[in-house]
Amino acid sequence: MKTRPRLVNRRSFLAGASATVLLPSILRAQDGSLKLQCRFDDQTVTYTLFDNPTVRDLVSMLPLELTIEDFSNNEKIAHLPRRLDEGGLAPFSDETPGDLCYFLGWGNLAFFYADYQFRNDLIRLGHIDGPLDPLTHRGTYPLRVALTD
């Protein structure tokens, strides 16, 4: 049986394209990396982001006001207002607690604080700067996601 390639919808394509055109100066931070700050309750976590189409699409949406909640025993999740460009999908085998990923199944952010496995359904967006402790803070809270210096 022949499968058809997955097509990117128009909104995702336009968002990714505009992010690529409009954000190059933001992506050129002093040390060459882009930082994402996530604040909820009295917790703050900062991620160094990778450079891929999915990250650029996420950055084009910032700042965001979301809700972060516990999921399973190894991650927190936050649902985005729309799906992201999936152009950053690439297999990886060095999964590490502290990874920030985009889950293709539900179109949400996954903040991993314990071991997890890549199963062709995650796009890695970045990695935490600092301790994992804030992510183990249990509960459901308003979440602010924004770029930081």
Side-chain angles (χ1 to χ4, degrees), residues 45-130:
V45 289
T46 302
Y47 292 89
T48 298
L49 296 176
F50 301 130
D51 184 11
N52 65 48
T54 309
V55 169
R56 289 190 294 272
D57 193 14
L58 174 63
V59 168
S60 75
M61 298 169 62
L62 298 177
L64 286 169
E65 301 292 335
L66 306 171
T67 300
I68 193 166
E69 59 189 298
D70 300 309
F71 184 80
S72 190
N73 60 357
N74 65 340
E75 68 182 288
K76 287 191 167 301
I77 63 170
H79 296 280
L80 294 166
R82 67 166 172 81
R83 296 190 69 82
L84 296 177
D85 179 317
E86 297 176 7
L89 181 60
F92 56 92
S93 59
D94 58 345
E95 304 93 332
T96 307
D99 284 345
L100 172 64
C101 296
Y102 176 67
F103 176 57
L104 296 171
W106 297 343
N108 63 278
L109 297 177
F111 304 83
F112 290 102
Y113 57 83
D115 291 335
Y116 73 99
Q117 241 182 343
F118 172 79
R119 299 180 316 259
N120 268 346
D121 58 359
L122 295 169
I123 298 174
R124 197 155 39 179
L125 305 175
H127 191 75
I128 198 167
D129 299 337

Side-chain angles (χ1 to χ4, degrees), residues 6-61:
R6 192 172 190 175
L7 299 176
V8 175
N9 70 35
R10 182 178 176 176
R11 185 181 328 165
S12 293
F13 173 79
L14 291 174
S18 64
T20 300
V21 171
L22 298 175
L23 298 174
S25 61
I26 292 173
L27 293 174
R28 283 187 235 114
Q30 286 181 347
D31 65 356
S33 62
L34 187 61
K35 304 285 184 171
L36 183 77
Q37 188 174 70
C38 302
R39 291 183 183 184
F40 60 96
D41 199 27
D42 61 347
Q43 309 299 310
T44 301
V45 289
T46 302
Y47 292 89
T48 298
L49 296 176
F50 301 130
D51 184 11
N52 65 48
T54 309
V55 169
R56 289 190 294 272
D57 193 14
L58 174 63
V59 168
S60 75
M61 298 169 62

